[in-house]
Amino acid sequence: MRRGISAAAVAAALALAVSACGGEESPRRTAAPASDPAAVSGQVTWWDTSDATNEAPVFQEVIKDFTAKYPKIKVDYVNVPFADAQNKFKTAAQSGSGAPDVLRAEVGWVAEFASLGYLAPLDGTPALDKPEEFLPSPAGSGKYAGKTYAVPQVTDTLGLLYNKELLKKAGHDAPPKTFAELKQTALDVKSKAGADGLALNVDAYFLLPFIYGEGGDLLDVAGKKITVAAPPSVAGVKVVEDLIASGAAAKPAIQDSYTNAETAFKEGKVAMIFNGPWSNTDNLGGAVFKDDPDDFGVAPVPAGSAKAGSPTGGHDYAVYAGSGDLDASYLFVRYMASAETQAKIAGKLGLLPTRRPAYTMPEAQANPMIAKWREPMAAAVERPWIPEGGQLFQPLLEGYQKLAAGQRPAGPMLGDVAKAYQGLLKGWSL
Amino acid sequence: MTTQVVDTAAPGPRARGRRPRAGARHWYAWAMCAPVVIVTLVLVGYPLARGVYLSLTDATEATMGRTIGMNTIPSTYEFVGLSNYAGIVTSAEFLTRLGWTVTWTVVCVALHYGLGLGLAMLLNRPLRLRSLYRVLLVLPWAVPAFVSAFIWRYLLNGEFGVVNAMLRAAGLGGIDWLDDPLWAKVSVIAVNVWLGVPFMMLALLGGLQAIPRELYEAAEVDGATPWRRFRHITLPGLRPVAGTVVLLGTIWTFNQFPVIYLVTRGGPGGSSEILVTYAYRQAFEGIRDYSGSAAWGVLILALLVVMAVVYRRALRTRGEAW
C-alpha cells in the first residue's frame, strides 16, 4: 500500500475536494497543523523542466533556501527535459508509481492533467497563497472546471528578439512594428548587413503570432468552433509563406528548428528571431551578446492587420494527486510560487513573475530583462485552456513543416489541420 | 511411452490413490517448464490478450477508471466491436504509411543482407588485423540505438551538421538531409543500415564458417570459377542462416521505432513516418487513445504474422528445414 497521509489531514486540508476518497490512504504520520509549517516533515520530489544548464542551478539554489526554512522537508530535485516531461508524467501518474509530488507543468498541460484526475485541487490548501496577486492570464491556466489545480510559476510570451547592431547596419534604428516592416527590415539586413534577416522556428507555437496578428485563432472556445482554417488564420500563415518565398526569412531548418534559429541568432548570423524570455540567458551567453548585452533587443511581435498578438506561455506548479506527502508538497509550492522567490528567479534569470508584487521588488528590477519584456507581455493572448489543448500543436506542426518545405500552401494546409482538429474535438463545428 | 510403463502396474487398492499419469511420473519435468510457461503467459499472453480486448473498446486515458489520491475517475469505456480497425483501414493515412513502411523494410533488409554478406566474406578470409576489423564493424551494434540515432541527427543537421560541413569544405553545397522529404527517407535508411549491418555480418560469418572447406577444395579441383563457387556453394550453404536472419531483420526493421522517431521524428511533415511511429503518435499524443493504439498494434502484428507465415511456406516449398 502506498504511503498516504492521515484521513484527518485529508479532511482538514481538502474539505473542498468533491470526492475525497480516503479509502486507499493509511495513516503514516500525524500532519502538523498548518500554523506551524516548520514542523512539517516529509519528502518532496520535484520534476523541474527548466533548462538544465542555464536555469536549473538557480532553482536548485532556491530549493536550498526552502530546505533551510523547512529543515524537516527533504526535496528531491529531478531535472526532466521539457520535451519528455508531459509523457513521462502521464505514464507515471497513470501507472501509479514514479510520479513526482510536484511538477513544473507547462500552462497548456494543466487542464489535460486535471481532467484526467492526476492533479490535486489546491483551493483552500497552503499551496494557494494570496491568489488575488496573480496576473489573470497565467492564473487562468491553472484553473479547470471551477477549481484551481496549479499555481503559476513564470509567465511568458513570444517577442521579437533582434540584434541592434545588425539592424543599424541595415539602416533601421527601431525594430519593425508590422509584418510589412518585418519583411522590409529583414530584406535590408540581408542586402546590407551581411547576415540573414529573420530565422523562423518551424514550430506550431511560433506560428501563432502570425495567426493572431491577422485576427485569427486556432479555436473559438466560447462558440465551440474550429477557426484554424478560417480566412484570418489563413491570412496569417500566408504572411509566413511570403516571408520564406521572398527570402526575408532564411530557408528555415525543419528538424531542430528551434536550436538552429537560436544558434544563428546568438552567433550573429541572423538579425531577428521570435522567442520568449526563457531564452534570455541563452542569448546573452552567445558569441555576439556576451560582451555587448546592450545589442540584444526585445520588442513586441510585429502586428498584422488586426493586432500584435502572441501566445501566453509559462509554467505552473502542480501537485500530483497521488503524492504521499501532500502537506509538504503544498508548502513547497507555496514557497516556490511566493512573490519573494519569483523575484529572486526573475532577478537571476530574467523570467517573468506571475505575481504583481514581484515586479516591484528590487531583486526583480535589478534584471533589465524584466523591464524589457513588459511591453511584449502586453500583447500576450490567452490560449484555450482545454484538456485537448496540448493536442492542437502536432497537426499544426506537421502542416507548418510541409509549408516550410514548400509542399503545401497555406490554405489547404490549414484545411488539413482543421480536419485533424475535428477528430480531436468531438462536437465542435468548423 | 511413459503411460505404457505406468499402465502395466497392477491396479490394486494401494495404487488407487495415485492416478497413473504421465504428469505424475514426470512431474519434475513439468515443474521445470512451469516457470517459463508462467512467465511467458504473464509477459506475453496477458498483454496480448488485453491488447486485443482493448482494441475492441473505446478506452482512452479519459474513459479508463482510476483512483489517484483524492481523485476517483469511473470507467466509462464501452465495447465497440471492430470499429477501431475499420477506422484505421479506411483512413487515407494507412495506405500511404503502409506503402512507405514496406519500401523502408525492403530497402533496409536488402542493404543489410547485401552489405552484411560482403563484409562477412571479406572477414572470412585470412587477412591481417582481422580481429580489429571485426571489432570495428561490430561497434555500431554495440552502441545503443538511441545514442546512434541522436548522433546521426546531429551529424546530419542541415546548417551545423558535420556531414554538410564536410560537403561544403569540399566545395559542394549542403544537402537538406532531414528537412527534405526524400532526403529524410534516405537518411533514416542510411542510419538503419549502419545500425543493422553488424548483426547480419556476424550471423552470415557464422554461416560461412559452417560451410565445409572440402566443398570449395573439390570445386577448385574441378576448375570452378570464384563466381560459380559463390553461387553454387556459398549461397546454398548460407540459406539456413539467411532464411532466419532475413525474417528477423524484416520484423525488426518493420518495427524499427527509435531510428525514425529519434532521427526525423517522422518528419518533415510526417513523410518518414512508418506504421509504428505513426501509431505511437496517434496513441500517445495528448489524451492517450489506448483502444486506438491497441488496434494499431494488433494490425501491425497481424501484418507481420501473415508475412512470416507466407515466407516460411515459401522456404519450405524450396525444401528447406527451417
Side-chain angles (χ1 to χ4, degrees), chain A residues 27 49 55 71 113 136 156 199 270 280 291 310 349 401 406 418:
Chain A
T49 57
E55 298 179 342
F113 291 168
D156 59 53
V270 67
N280 287 342
D291 301 321
S310 63
L349 296 173
Q401 290 188 339

Short mmCIF file of all heavy atoms in Angstrom, two decimals, chain A residues 27 49 55 71 113 136 156 199 270 280 291 310 349 401 406 418:
data_model
loop_
_atom_site.label_atom_id
_atom_site.label_comp_id
_atom_site.label_asym_id
_atom_site.label_seq_id
_atom_site.Cartn_x
_atom_site.Cartn_y
_atom_site.Cartn_z
N PRO A 27 -2.80 5.78 7.59
CA PRO A 27 -2.13 6.79 8.40
C PRO A 27 -0.64 6.49 8.51
O PRO A 27 -0.25 5.37 8.80
CB PRO A 27 -2.82 6.68 9.75
CG PRO A 27 -3.60 5.43 9.73
CD PRO A 27 -3.73 4.96 8.34
N THR A 49 11.39 21.26 -15.21
CA THR A 49 11.60 21.11 -16.65
C THR A 49 12.38 22.27 -17.22
O THR A 49 12.41 22.48 -18.43
CB THR A 49 10.24 21.04 -17.39
OG1 THR A 49 9.51 22.23 -17.08
CG2 THR A 49 9.45 19.82 -16.97
N GLU A 55 19.18 27.47 -16.37
CA GLU A 55 18.18 27.84 -15.37
C GLU A 55 18.20 26.97 -14.12
O GLU A 55 18.01 27.46 -13.01
CB GLU A 55 16.78 27.79 -15.99
CG GLU A 55 16.60 28.76 -17.14
CD GLU A 55 15.22 28.70 -17.77
OE1 GLU A 55 14.50 27.71 -17.57
OE2 GLU A 55 14.86 29.66 -18.47
N PRO A 71 13.57 22.62 7.54
CA PRO A 71 14.64 21.59 7.59
C PRO A 71 14.12 20.17 7.61
O PRO A 71 14.85 19.23 7.29
CB PRO A 71 15.40 21.93 8.88
CG PRO A 71 14.50 22.82 9.66
CD PRO A 71 13.57 23.49 8.72
N PHE A 113 -4.15 17.39 -17.54
CA PHE A 113 -3.84 16.57 -16.36
C PHE A 113 -4.99 16.60 -15.37
O PHE A 113 -5.35 15.58 -14.77
CB PHE A 113 -2.57 17.09 -15.66
CG PHE A 113 -1.30 16.88 -16.44
CD1 PHE A 113 -0.13 17.52 -16.06
CD2 PHE A 113 -1.26 16.04 -17.54
CE1 PHE A 113 1.05 17.33 -16.76
CE2 PHE A 113 -0.09 15.85 -18.26
CZ PHE A 113 1.07 16.49 -17.87
N PRO A 136 -3.99 37.78 -14.23
CA PRO A 136 -5.16 36.95 -14.59
C PRO A 136 -4.88 35.87 -15.63
O PRO A 136 -5.37 34.75 -15.52
CB PRO A 136 -6.18 37.97 -15.12
CG PRO A 136 -5.46 39.27 -15.25
CD PRO A 136 -4.22 39.21 -14.44
N ASP A 156 5.16 33.88 -19.74
CA ASP A 156 5.99 34.33 -20.85
C ASP A 156 5.14 34.47 -22.09
O ASP A 156 3.96 34.11 -22.10
CB ASP A 156 7.16 33.38 -21.11
CG ASP A 156 6.72 31.98 -21.43
OD1 ASP A 156 5.89 31.80 -22.35
OD2 ASP A 156 7.20 31.03 -20.79
N ALA A 199 15.12 34.45 -38.84
CA ALA A 199 15.13 32.98 -38.82
C ALA A 199 13.82 32.52 -38.20
O ALA A 199 13.47 32.93 -37.09
CB ALA A 199 16.31 32.46 -38.00
N VAL A 270 21.99 35.83 -37.91
CA VAL A 270 20.67 36.31 -38.29
C VAL A 270 20.31 37.47 -37.36
O VAL A 270 20.74 37.50 -36.20
CB VAL A 270 19.63 35.15 -38.22
CG1 VAL A 270 19.41 34.70 -36.80
CG2 VAL A 270 18.32 35.56 -38.85
N ASN A 280 16.49 34.21 -22.68
CA ASN A 280 17.35 35.36 -22.34
C ASN A 280 18.76 34.95 -22.01
O ASN A 280 19.73 35.45 -22.56
CB ASN A 280 16.78 36.09 -21.10
CG ASN A 280 15.52 36.87 -21.42
OD1 ASN A 280 15.25 37.16 -22.57
ND2 ASN A 280 14.75 37.20 -20.39
N ASP A 291 29.63 40.10 -24.84
CA ASP A 291 30.35 41.33 -24.49
C ASP A 291 29.51 42.58 -24.69
O ASP A 291 29.83 43.63 -24.15
CB ASP A 291 31.64 41.42 -25.31
CG ASP A 291 32.54 40.22 -25.06
OD1 ASP A 291 32.60 39.78 -23.89
OD2 ASP A 291 33.11 39.69 -26.03
N SER A 310 0.62 37.47 -29.30
CA SER A 310 1.46 36.27 -29.18
C SER A 310 0.93 35.42 -28.03
O SER A 310 0.28 35.94 -27.14
CB SER A 310 2.91 36.66 -28.95
OG SER A 310 3.03 37.34 -27.74
N LEU A 349 17.39 35.14 -13.64
CA LEU A 349 17.21 34.53 -14.96
C LEU A 349 16.43 35.40 -15.94
O LEU A 349 16.35 35.08 -17.12
CB LEU A 349 16.49 33.19 -14.81
CG LEU A 349 17.22 32.10 -14.04
CD1 LEU A 349 16.31 30.91 -13.83
CD2 LEU A 349 18.48 31.68 -14.79
N GLN A 401 5.53 22.26 -41.18
CA GLN A 401 6.71 21.65 -41.80
C GLN A 401 6.49 21.50 -43.30
O GLN A 401 7.40 21.75 -44.09
CB GLN A 401 6.97 20.27 -41.18
CG GLN A 401 7.47 20.35 -39.75
CD GLN A 401 7.91 19.01 -39.20
OE1 GLN A 401 7.50 17.95 -39.70
NE2 GLN A 401 8.74 19.03 -38.17
N GLY A 406 7.76 23.78 -48.66
CA GLY A 406 7.19 24.12 -49.95
C GLY A 406 6.28 23.04 -50.52
O GLY A 406 6.00 23.02 -51.71
N ALA A 418 -7.50 21.65 -39.74
CA ALA A 418 -8.86 21.75 -39.22
C ALA A 418 -9.52 20.37 -39.19
O ALA A 418 -10.24 20.02 -38.25
CB ALA A 418 -9.69 22.70 -40.08
#
